[in-house]
Structure formats: C-alpha cells, structure tokens
Amino acid sequence: MSVLNSSCAPLFEPQWLAAAVTEPQWYAVHTRARHEKSVVNQLERRGVKTFLPLTSEVHRWSDRRKVVELPLFSCYAFVHIRLSPELWYQVIQTSGVLQFVGNRVGIAIPDNQIESIRAVLSSDIPYALCPFLQVGQRVRIRGGALDGIEGLLTARNGDRTLVISVEPIQRSIAVRIDQYQVDAI
C-alpha cells in the first residue's frame, strides 16, 4: 500500500517525472528552529541516512561553563535518499520538518559538497561560518578601514575584489578585500 493518498497525487505528477532518480542523493531539509537533532533522530529510527554537521561551542552561565554541540547550519539537516514520492512523504511528514530545500520536491546536493563539510569538521583546521556570496553580488564591508563601503563582488586570479562604481560617470575602482568580512546587501 502506498503512503500517498489521492489528494497528494497532483503535487507529485509533473515534478516527479523530472526528479525521478534511481541512486540515493543528498537533499537538504528545512527544519523548525532548534529541531534539527530531533528530526535527525526520528529519520534515523525510520532507516533514513542523515547528516547533521555539528560544531562545539562553550556556553557560559554565571555558575558554570559547558561545551554544547550545535548544528553548523541552523534550521537545516541533510538526508540521503532515492527520491520517490513514498520516501519524500516519509521525510516531509517527520515532526519538525518544514520542507525540502529547493523546488517543492527538493534539489540534489552533490556528494563532494557533503564530503567536503565532513572533511573540514573531522580535521583540526579552524573554520568559521561566512555569508554565502556569489561573484557579481552587491556587498557591504564590515569592519576595518573600509567599514560600510558597498560595491560589487568580483574575483580576479582567485582573489576577492570589491568594485566600487560611480554610476553617473560610469567609472569604477577595484579593491582587494580578502582580509575583510563582507555581507550581502
């Protein structure tokens, strides 16, 4: 017996034809805030392979300090499934799961991206979260001598560069910003 009922069928028809995959792939699921560990535990009990990257932080209270493990990407967990309506439904019906990331069905994440995160977390290399920025995106510098300056993020020979433009005269200057923190605008 299928877990889907007739009221769910229209949701799947066009997307499943394009998304049908025979091999399991990684997908991100958006979870309720602070429900990531619960979602992963529930899915693992159902036999779904999951990945929840965790980072350790020291939390201090007035009387004690404790090392706690928190999700690296809050409100997200990863599942490794062969995308089918039945498995999709099993994941989406898990308490704490809001939706698959991407279109309504979910967008596959390449294995090498998940493996790269695992490799960094398993090593002693220091790391820090940073905003997801794309070349061509408008950004603002945070801190340092250039604090508050806005421009277009570009890349030259692997270096991050900020292009500051004076639009009315159509002229620009470029500044290397590898040592600066930037936020998307």
Side-chain angles (χ1 to χ4, degrees), residues 22-152:
T22 57
E23 293 296 315
Q25 293 184 305
W26 287 104
Y27 297 90
V29 290
H30 188 210
T31 69
R32 293 182 60 203
R34 295 181 301 280
H35 282 72
E36 303 89 349
K37 290 180 183 179
S38 169
V39 165
V40 165
N41 288 336
Q42 291 176 64
L43 289 170
E44 286 179 348
R45 281 195 304 263
R46 294 178 185 173
V48 176
K49 183 177 177 182
T50 64
F51 174 52
L52 180 63
L54 299 171
T55 184
S56 297
E57 287 185 7
V58 177
H59 282 208
R60 293 181 179 96
W61 291 272
S62 60
D63 62 336
R64 63 193 158 107
R65 291 190 311 180
K66 183 178 180 181
V67 177
V68 294
E69 287 200 325
L70 300 172
L72 183 62
F73 307 116
S74 64
C75 296
Y76 294 98
F78 302 97
V79 296
H80 193 248
I81 61 172
R82 182 185 55 78
L83 199 58
S84 68
E86 291 80 13
L87 288 172
W88 180 92
Y89 191 75
Q90 182 180 3
V91 171
I92 208 72
Q93 287 301 111
T94 303
S95 177
V97 171
L98 299 175
Q99 63 188 6
F100 274 80
V101 174
N103 58 27
R104 292 175 76 174
V105 175
I107 296 176
I109 299 169
D111 289 345
N112 65 340
Q113 291 179 9
I114 299 295
E115 292 309 316
S116 296
I117 292 170
R118 286 182 196 251
V120 168
L121 293 177
S122 67
S123 70
D124 290 334
I125 299 170
Y127 62 88
L129 287 177
C130 65
F132 182 74
L133 302 172
Q134 295 179 341
V135 170
Q137 185 174 2
R138 290 198 55 79
V139 296
R140 179 180 298 122
I141 296 177
R142 263 192 320 157
L146 302 177
D147 187 41
I149 293 180
E150 297 179 7
L152 195 65

